[in-house]
Amino acid sequence: LPVDSLNWFEATEFCQKLSWVLARPVRLPTSDEYFTALGSLRYVDISDIAWAADSGTGQTQEVATKNANRNGFHDLLGNVKEWLSNPGEEADSRLVAGGSAEDSIDTLADRPAYPENDRVRRRMIGFRYVVEMQ
């Protein structure tokens, strides 16, 4: 299952520790990187690539059990929202993107991203990381 229930600082701390282990920079993705990986949703049946309220139980599901998107990424939409490295609109916020298993297909089709308090832990917020290969 995806990692969930951690705040932005805990996700960032994980990246820092993994960076030390791998001896490479590891960080949360930027919104530009996230949306580039997501790619276009034109002519995509979102229920084929995302766990949403319409296609599941409203609970998180095992990762990579839906098809990958056109760029080869799993679970960029649905399942859990993901922390991004970008600051949000307010001082104590960061962006989360991708929607969750509690959102409808229509919500996911809008490619959701919005600010969230960076100290909040929610069952439907997780993260993925970027390893810089240089």
Side-chain angles (χ1 to χ4, degrees):
L1 295 174
V3 172
D4 62 29
S5 304
L6 71 163
N7 65 39
W8 183 86
F9 295 100
E10 292 163 333
T12 300
E13 181 181 358
F14 174 87
C15 291
Q16 290 170 344
K17 289 179 179 182
L18 185 58
S19 181
W20 182 80
V21 170
L22 297 177
R24 295 189 178 281
V26 177
R27 59 181 172 72
L28 297 175
T30 66
S31 59
D32 287 344
E33 290 168 332
Y34 178 87
F35 287 110
T36 297
L38 180 58
S40 173
L41 296 179
R42 190 175 186 156
Y43 308 118
V44 172
D45 183 350
I46 294 174
S47 64
D48 287 345
I49 63 168
W51 286 108
D54 319 67
S55 63
T57 62
Q59 302 289 324
T60 57
Q61 303 292 323
E62 188 175 332
V63 297
T65 52
K66 291 279 189 171
N67 295 330
N69 71 6
R70 290 179 180 157
N71 292 332
F73 292 95
H74 290 273
D75 300 318
L76 282 172
L77 290 175
N79 225 359
V80 295
K81 302 168 193 170
E82 300 182 16
W83 288 112
L84 301 178
S85 63
N86 306 63
E89 297 171 359
E90 299 184 21
D92 295 337
S93 70
R94 298 289 173 166
L95 293 178
V96 292
S100 75
E102 294 176 333
D103 294 319
S104 70
I105 295 288
D106 290 339
T107 298
L108 299 182
D110 289 337
R111 301 165 39 121
Y114 57 89
E116 179 71 72
N117 183 305
D118 55 17
R119 297 188 185 284
V120 72
R121 289 186 188 103
R122 297 200 197 288
R123 184 176 56 87
M124 290 294 172
I125 299 179
F127 74 104
R128 71 180 61 223
Y129 55 86
V130 174
V131 178
E132 295 181 14
M133 301 307 287
Q134 300 177 345

